[in-house]
């Protein structure tokens, strides 16, 4: 039998950072983490699992459900993309509406499982991504697995997310991607793949109606870039392999990729945000104690008011402890938490950061500065996670220093930094000298080993109990309990109904798309034009201006195309009970604006008139986004193939021995 | 470095280890956090990772099954004139009357609370309509969607709350959100 070949030096990978605990090793497995995240999400979101067709109570939830349901109906029932949305306000551009979500990857869940179940699955998806992102980010900065999990719990279960879910603002749930953005930036200092990945995530934010998430992410990246550039002024502080301009390169690449990915939404949206800016006049400000109370005041009962951002005073203390006692990253995160807190205080004076921020384009249309408490929760969570890690490591470190001091001589098994680890315990079984055999009697050696095991367990148990207490406390205030949010009866779905306009009611916007009715009385963030001639009592939705001159019959109707049979004795107008938009075209006659109403000037005679809505900005953006996504997928495929090749090389190089 | 992660341990001439010890070596090396250095390491780690993922996904699918296989959304059919939304014409007119008789008060409240902003008057009226629809939901034992569907039917067909009343206003004030 041939002995297997020894691996070459090059084939032996560089050892990774050693793991301290069994828990760390277990949580290094993605499957184990996923199981934990599923379990935590079920504990935080039990209400999403019951009565899955019911909708939330709040009118903003109704508003967002209406948009999602209208988009789903357009895609599933009519087989079109909701580029034009006739269900809202008498007809508005669908793809360009800043808050639209149908282009986001998570909208696929609405398509597959139904509007409301899909929305709830999106909540689950984002919360799990938040947990995983926080965990990875904290681990990157030397948190223990338990500490990282505690940080993830603090961020994911923070009260501001409860508030977002209660209001149905799924377009803001990509705030859960913020840890990934930080991670992508940090790793992107040296890795192009991470820069591109970060850009794709930012693109997801835009596609998900990221009116707040994307601008906030830009602020986050700006601050990270400034901090990193400041550090790069001192070459000794610079990360190995990074250039002085790496932070700028990371931010620019991420920004460019995000625009390319989301061009399908950005291009048509530009027309709306520049032509119909959001009216924002009132500026809010909070005193520091007031804003701090948002973080420290728990919800009472099932109430969820707009100030809820609870993470708890004890967590803030733990975070301060972490920032003071842990590593440099913790201090940086602490400083960033303070910076975002200052932004969250809003327009409190001429030197307030928020006052300056809103002078920038786009930022002037943002309200509610207290939403900056979301990044605060992230950085506080990171500091607290690192604080828990300090506590977890303390007993073993203490024992390590005692061992160095008293064992004779300092045993090779004790690492230079004084930490104990399982790696060393395994050597005991191989008669390796963990505590010097020559100089220490057996009982002393085993006492040190036993002490090490106990110290590791005590540290971990302390961390676990801290995490447990924090999790229970956050769940008591912030969990989406059964009956807390989703209490309104499911809206009806009428598969046979012809589309008509209804007077509507924006407070109960969710009921209309299911009935295949548009909602005239509406609310949108941007002041979109509406015709005074829109009506909810018409015999037919398409009609002649003068019934004595022409007759009109609907042949077919879809959201983006309407086919009419027109019999006109003379040239006249055919009116459509929707708002005019210049991107409507007709194959017969000419589309005109009749007091804000969509109309076609038709010639005399009998004709079949087809009206179509075509948005060149959407189409240009669509192709750019599609090509970008295809390029990203191709890059992913190439990377995967290379990785497999590398693995095959290693497989061949490695022996089959144990 | 432990013996387990040392490739030299596999060199020719090394004493043959018991099978159980050889079998446990990849486990020990994973436990120690040593990078894969042999085929058995890789196989063990792939199997472990896959197993963990399968367990996690199985539990996740089981736990979140109500979302993955949701109960169907209530369906209605509006084609039949006499019975729509599961309600007779008479019952629908009762619901409409309930809502329509409360509309003048809602309009007055809108004008009172927002005397100079027409869109806000309409929006405020709609909020009272929402409150009334909630009351009707309880009184008639049907869903909110049904209440609004019936109300829109009444607006469309120009029903009146009573013989002296006017049909409800079918037009709207164009969007003018407050700052």
């Amino acid at each position: 039998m041939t002995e297997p070949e020894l691996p070459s030096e090059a084939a032996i990978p560089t050892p990774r950072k050693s793991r301290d605990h069994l828990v760390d090793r277990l949580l290094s497995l993605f499957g184990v983490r996923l199981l934990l995240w599923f379990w935590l999400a079920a504990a935080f979101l039990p209400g999403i699992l019951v009565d899955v067709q019911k909708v939330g109570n709040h009118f903003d939830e109704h508003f967002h459900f209406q948009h999602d349901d209208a988009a789903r109906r357009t895609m599933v029932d009519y087989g079109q993309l909701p580029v034009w949305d006739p269900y809202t306000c008498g007809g508005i551009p669908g793809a360009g509406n800043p808050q639209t979500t149908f282009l986001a990857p998570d909208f696929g869940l609405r398509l597959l499982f139904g509007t409301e179940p899909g929305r709830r699955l999106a909540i689950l998806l984002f919360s799990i991504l938040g947990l995983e992102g926080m965990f990875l980010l904290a681990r990157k900065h030397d948190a223990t697995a338990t500490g990282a999990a505690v940080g993830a719990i603090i961020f994911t279960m923070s009260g501001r997310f409860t508030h977002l879910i209660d209001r149905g603002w799924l377009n803001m749930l990509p705030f859960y991607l913020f840890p990934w953005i930080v991670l992508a930036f940090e790793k992107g200092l040296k890795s192009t793949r991470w820069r591109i990945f970060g850009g794709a995530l930012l693109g997801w934010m835009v596609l998900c109606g990221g009116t707040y998430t994307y601008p906030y992410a830009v602020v986050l990246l700006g601050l990270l870039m400034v901090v990193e550039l400041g550090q790069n002024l001192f070459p000794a502080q610079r990360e190995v392999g990074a250039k002085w301009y790496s932070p700028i390169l990371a931010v620019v690449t991420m920004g460019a990729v995000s625009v390319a990915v989301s061009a399908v939404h950005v291009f048509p949206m530009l027309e709306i945000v520049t032509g119909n800016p959001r009216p924002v006049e009132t500026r809010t400000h909070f005193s520091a104690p007031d804003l701090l109370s948002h973080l420290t005041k728990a919800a009472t009962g099932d109430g969820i008011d707009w100030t809820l951002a609870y993470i708890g005073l004890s967590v803030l203390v733990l975070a301060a402890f972490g920032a003071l006692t842990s590593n440099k990253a913790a201090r940086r995160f602490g400083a960033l938490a303070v910076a975002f807190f200052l932004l969250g205080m809003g327009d409190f004076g001429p030197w307030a950061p928020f006052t300056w921020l809103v002078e920038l384009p786009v930022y002037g249309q943002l309200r509610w500065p207290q939403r900056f408490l979301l990044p605060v929760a992230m950085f506080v969570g990171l500091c607290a996670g690192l604080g828990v890690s300090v506590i977890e490591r303390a007993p073993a470190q203490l024992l390590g220093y005692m061992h160095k001091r008293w064992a004779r001589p300092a045993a090779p098994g004790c690492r230079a930094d004084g930490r104990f680890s399982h790696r060393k315990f395994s050597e005991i079984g191989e008669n390796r000298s963990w505590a010097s055999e020559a100089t220490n009697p057996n009982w002393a050696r085993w006492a040190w080993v036993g002490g090490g095991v106990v110290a590791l367990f005590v540290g971990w148990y302390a961390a676990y109990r801290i995490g447990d207490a924090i999790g229970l406390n956050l769940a008591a205030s912030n969990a989406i309990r059964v009956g807390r949010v989703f209490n309104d009866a499911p809206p009806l779905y009428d598969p046979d109904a012809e589309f008509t306009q209804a007077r509507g009611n924006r407070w109960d916007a969710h009921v209309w798309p299911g009935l295949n009715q548009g909602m005239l009385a509406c609310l949108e963030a941007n002041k979109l034009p509406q015709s005074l001639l829109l009506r909810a009592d018409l015999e037919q939705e398409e009609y002649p201006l003068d019934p004595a001159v022409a007759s009109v019959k609907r042949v077919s109707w879809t959201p983006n195309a309407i086919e009419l049979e027109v019999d006109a004795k003379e040239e006249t107008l055919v009116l459509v009970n929707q708002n005019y938009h210049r991107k409507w075209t007709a194959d017969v006659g000419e589309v005109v604006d009749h007091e804000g109403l969509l109309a076609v000037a038709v010639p005399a005679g009998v004709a079949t008139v087809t009206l179509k809505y075509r948005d060149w900005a959407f189409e240009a953006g669509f192709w750019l986004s599609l090509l970008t996504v295809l390029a990203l997928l191709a890059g992913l495929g190439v990377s995967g193939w290379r990785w497999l090749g590398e693995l095959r090389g290693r497989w061949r190089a490695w022996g089959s021995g144990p | 470095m432990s013996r387990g992660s040392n490739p030299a341990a596999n060199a020719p001439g090394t004493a043959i280890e018991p099978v159980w010890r050889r079998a446990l070596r990849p486990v020990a090396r994973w436990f120690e956090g040593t990078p894969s250095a042999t085929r058995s390491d890789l196989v063990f780690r792939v199997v472990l990772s896959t197993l963990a993922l399968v367990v996690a996904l199985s539990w996740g699918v089981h736990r979140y099954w109500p979302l993955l296989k949701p109960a169907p959304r209530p369906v209605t059919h509006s084609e039949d004139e006499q019975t729509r939304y599961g309600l007779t014409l008479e019952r629908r007119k009762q619901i409409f009357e309930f809502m329509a008789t409360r509309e003048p008060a809602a309009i007055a409240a809108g004008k009172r609370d927002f005397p100079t902003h027409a869109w806000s008057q309409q929006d405020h009226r709609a909020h009272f309509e929402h409150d009334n629809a909630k009351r009707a939901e309880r009184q008639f034992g049907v869903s909110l969607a049904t209440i609004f569907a019936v109300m829109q039917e009444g607006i469309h067909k120009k029903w009146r709350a009573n013989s002296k009343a006017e049909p409800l206003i079918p037009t709207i004030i164009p969007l003018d959100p407050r700052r």
Side-chain angles (χ1 to χ4, degrees):
Chain A
M1 192 174 156
T2 315
E3 287 291 335
E5 279 183 32
L6 286 175
S8 66
E9 281 297 317
I12 300 170
T14 312
R16 292 171 301 175
K17 190 169 63 175
S18 68
R19 313 293 193 211
D20 292 318
H21 276 279
L22 174 61
V23 177
D24 297 30
R25 300 299 303 128
L26 283 174
L27 286 177
S28 71
L29 295 169
F30 175 67
V32 174
R33 290 204 302 278
L34 188 62
L35 190 63
L36 179 63
W37 305 151
F38 274 141
W39 182 79
L40 284 169
F44 179 51
L45 306 164
I48 68 167
L49 289 165
V50 181
D51 295 327
V52 296
Q53 295 290 359
K54 280 190 173 180
V55 298
N57 322 343
H58 199 270
F59 56 86
D60 276 355
E61 153 87 357
H62 298 166
F63 168 89
H64 286 285
F65 179 95
Q66 187 262 349
H67 280 70
D68 283 0
D69 207 29
R72 185 178 190 275
R73 183 148 202 163
T74 303
M75 293 163 99
V76 174
D77 291 7
Y78 294 105
Q80 292 180 337
L81 288 172
V83 185
W84 176 255
D85 176 7
Y87 293 93
T88 306
C89 301
I92 59 171
N97 188 353
Q99 299 188 87
T100 200
T101 57
F102 76 88
L103 293 158
D106 57 281
F107 194 83
L109 295 168
R110 271 86 123 186
L111 292 177
L112 283 173
F113 299 100
T115 306
E116 183 58 26
R119 282 172 63 81
R120 297 192 192 191
L121 280 167
I123 295 170
L124 175 69
L125 171 72
F126 279 117
S127 52
I128 284 177
L129 285 172
L131 286 161
E132 176 72 1
M134 273 294 278
F135 181 87
L136 294 180
L137 182 58
R139 288 291 281 160
K140 179 178 181 290
H141 290 286
D142 204 28
T144 61
T146 310
V150 173
I153 289 169
I154 291 168
F155 174 60
T156 311
M157 293 191 181
S158 62
R160 203 70 210 162
F161 284 112
T162 307
H163 180 253
L164 297 185
I165 294 167
D166 176 57
R167 268 41 172 186
W169 295 334
L170 266 60
N171 61 325
M172 290 201 208
L173 286 191
F175 272 120
Y176 273 131
L177 301 180
F178 268 37
W180 289 96
I181 298 297
V182 179
L183 200 61
F185 171 80
E186 290 182 349
K187 289 189 179 270
L189 294 173
K190 288 188 283 188
S191 157
T192 308
R193 282 180 204 166
W194 273 96
R195 288 196 284 272
I196 292 172
F197 175 66
L201 288 181
L202 286 171
W204 186 356
M205 286 183 183
V206 179
L207 295 174
C208 200
T211 48
Y212 279 85
T213 49
Y214 190 82
Y216 278 35
V218 171
V219 173
L220 173 67
L221 285 170
L223 285 173
L224 290 172
M225 186 177 76
V226 167
V227 170
E228 202 66 40
L229 280 173
Q231 184 176 288
N232 284 359
L233 291 176
F234 308 97
Q237 299 282 316
R238 202 180 297 162
E239 271 201 58
V240 180
K243 306 273 190 275
W244 72 266
Y245 55 82
S246 294
I248 300 172
L249 184 65
V251 171
V252 170
T253 311
M254 287 167 77
V257 171
S258 72
V259 172
V261 165
S262 60
V264 64
H265 184 37
V266 171
F267 288 4
M269 183 170 65
L270 285 175
E271 186 182 344
I272 288 191
V273 293
T274 53
N276 314 91
R278 183 178 191 184
V280 177
E281 226 170 44
T282 50
R283 291 269 179 248
T284 317
H285 66 271
F286 304 93
S287 66
D290 190 12
L291 194 63
L292 199 62
S293 74
H294 293 199
L295 294 168
T296 56
K297 194 180 78 181
T300 50
D302 277 349
I304 300 172
D305 73 14
W306 65 272
T307 63
L308 181 65
Y310 180 70
I311 53 176
L313 188 60
S314 54
V315 167
L316 291 173
V317 171
L318 185 63
F321 169 77
L324 292 171
T325 60
S326 189
N327 49 24
K328 192 174 77 177
R331 288 188 285 283
R332 180 192 289 191
F333 292 146
L336 286 166
V338 172
F340 276 104
F341 187 85
L342 287 171
L343 277 167
M345 287 170 66
D347 223 358
F348 60 84
W351 294 98
F354 187 78
T355 311
W356 289 24
L357 187 69
V358 294
E359 293 302 319
L360 299 173
V362 178
Y363 289 90
Q365 296 191 30
L366 302 185
R367 301 192 299 170
W368 307 124
Q370 75 272 25
R371 286 178 182 153
F372 280 109
L373 290 181
L374 282 158
V376 171
M378 177 177 73
F379 288 119
V380 165
L382 286 166
C383 289
L386 288 165
V388 169
S389 305
V390 169
I391 294 169
E392 185 178 351
R393 286 176 175 138
Q397 275 185 319
L398 181 65
L399 194 73
Y401 289 124
M402 287 163 66
H403 182 260
K404 278 174 79 176
R405 176 78 180 77
W406 291 314
R408 293 171 299 158
C414 185
R415 290 203 316 226
D417 61 1
R419 291 183 196 167
F420 281 79
S421 79
H422 285 298
R423 179 193 285 268
K424 307 305 161 198
F425 298 142
S426 68
E427 293 171 359
I428 304 293
E430 299 176 11
N431 280 332
R432 290 297 184 90
S433 178
W434 184 79
S436 172
E437 222 174 314
T439 53
N440 291 293
N442 271 345
W443 68 265
R445 290 169 56 218
W446 286 107
W448 283 115
V449 173
V453 172
V454 171
L456 284 172
F457 178 76
V458 167
W460 172 79
Y461 188 68
Y464 163 74
R465 289 311 299 261
I466 291 170
D468 188 45
I470 288 172
L472 287 173
N473 187 38
L474 289 178
S477 166
N478 302 340
I480 306 294
R481 291 185 285 274
V482 175
R484 191 178 195 184
V485 171
F486 301 101
N487 292 321
D488 277 4
L492 299 172
Y493 175 66
D494 188 340
D496 313 316
E498 284 276 312
F499 175 83
T500 55
Q501 295 289 8
R503 188 172 73 172
N505 185 317
R506 66 111 168 170
W507 302 91
D508 291 301
H510 60 298
V511 305
W512 307 105
L515 299 167
N516 210 10
Q517 293 180 353
M519 187 179 69
L520 298 180
C522 68
L523 175 65
E524 285 293 325
N526 294 74
K527 189 178 174 181
L528 299 167
Q530 269 189 298
S531 172
L532 270 167
L533 300 183
L534 292 165
R535 296 187 72 90
D537 62 345
L538 294 172
E539 281 294 315
Q540 52 186 71
E541 294 293 305
E542 299 84 23
Y543 56 98
L545 178 64
D546 183 355
V549 172
S551 66
V552 178
K553 189 181 162 196
R554 181 189 279 185
V555 178
S556 71
W557 186 95
T558 60
N560 296 331
I562 304 167
E563 198 177 332
L564 305 171
E565 207 172 273
V566 180
D567 185 356
K569 292 176 189 161
E570 57 189 65
E571 191 177 324
T572 187
L573 284 183
V574 171
L575 306 180
V576 178
N577 196 25
Q578 292 189 42
N579 295 312
Y580 167 80
H581 197 283
R582 63 188 169 81
K583 289 175 180 171
W584 279 99
T585 56
D587 60 347
V588 177
E590 189 189 356
V591 171
V592 293
D593 177 353
H594 180 70
E595 298 178 42
L597 206 64
L598 180 62
V600 193
V602 292
V606 179
T608 302
V609 181
T610 304
L611 285 126
K612 280 188 179 165
Y613 183 83
R614 283 197 67 180
D615 187 343
W616 64 266
F618 172 81
E619 286 171 17
F622 175 83
W623 287 111
L624 179 56
S625 294
L626 185 68
L627 290 174
T628 308
V629 170
L630 288 176
L632 293 181
L633 290 176
L636 197 67
V638 169
S639 297
W641 186 251
R642 281 186 188 154
W643 178 76
L644 276 176
E646 199 179 309
L647 208 61
R648 274 199 297 274
R650 283 188 190 181
W651 179 266
R652 278 196 292 271
W654 286 338
S656 59
Chain B
M1 185 184 272
S2 72
R3 184 177 164 200
S5 58
N6 185 356
N10 304 318
T14 307
I16 295 171
E17 289 181 307
V19 174
W20 67 269
R21 194 155 175 169
R22 283 168 63 94
L24 283 179
R25 198 159 287 286
V27 183
R29 279 204 291 260
W30 170 80
F31 184 65
E32 290 168 0
T34 310
S36 296
T38 65
R39 289 181 182 180
S40 51
D41 275 350
L42 188 65
V43 169
F44 170 72
R45 286 165 200 215
V46 168
V47 169
L48 188 66
S49 302
T50 309
L51 193 67
L53 196 59
V54 168
V55 170
L57 289 175
S58 307
W59 191 85
V61 167
H62 169 73
R63 189 73 185 85
Y64 295 98
W65 188 246
L67 293 174
L68 300 172
K69 182 79 176 165
R73 184 170 165 179
V75 173
T76 186
H77 297 280
S78 56
E79 294 307 296
D80 184 358
E81 282 296 314
Q82 283 306 310
T83 308
R84 273 190 171 188
Y85 318 118
L87 300 169
T88 61
L89 181 61
E90 188 189 354
R91 189 72 169 160
R92 300 205 304 279
K93 287 204 166 177
Q94 284 173 357
I95 292 172
F96 179 79
E97 190 186 325
F98 180 94
M99 296 295 291
T101 50
R102 285 160 176 77
E103 176 126 328
I107 292 172
K111 286 182 177 164
R112 185 190 63 224
D113 294 346
F114 294 93
T116 59
H117 197 246
W119 181 82
S120 294
Q121 290 172 9
Q122 169 187 269
D123 194 48
H124 207 44
R125 189 269 308 152
H127 191 265
F128 286 107
E129 185 179 274
H130 156 81
D131 292 342
N132 292 330
K134 285 276 188 189
R135 285 189 200 103
E137 188 184 12
R138 286 190 292 273
Q139 180 163 327
F140 294 94
V142 294
S143 73
L144 199 71
T146 308
I147 301 290
F148 277 111
V150 170
M151 192 170 171
Q152 174 53 30
E153 185 187 6
I155 291 173
H156 191 252
K157 293 178 177 167
K158 301 181 174 64
W159 289 349
R160 294 160 194 265
N162 55 58
S163 56
K164 291 178 187 167
E166 289 293 311
L168 297 186
I169 301 166
T171 55
I172 48 107
I173 306 292
L175 181 62
D176 183 18
R178 288 191 299 278
R179 288 158 187 255

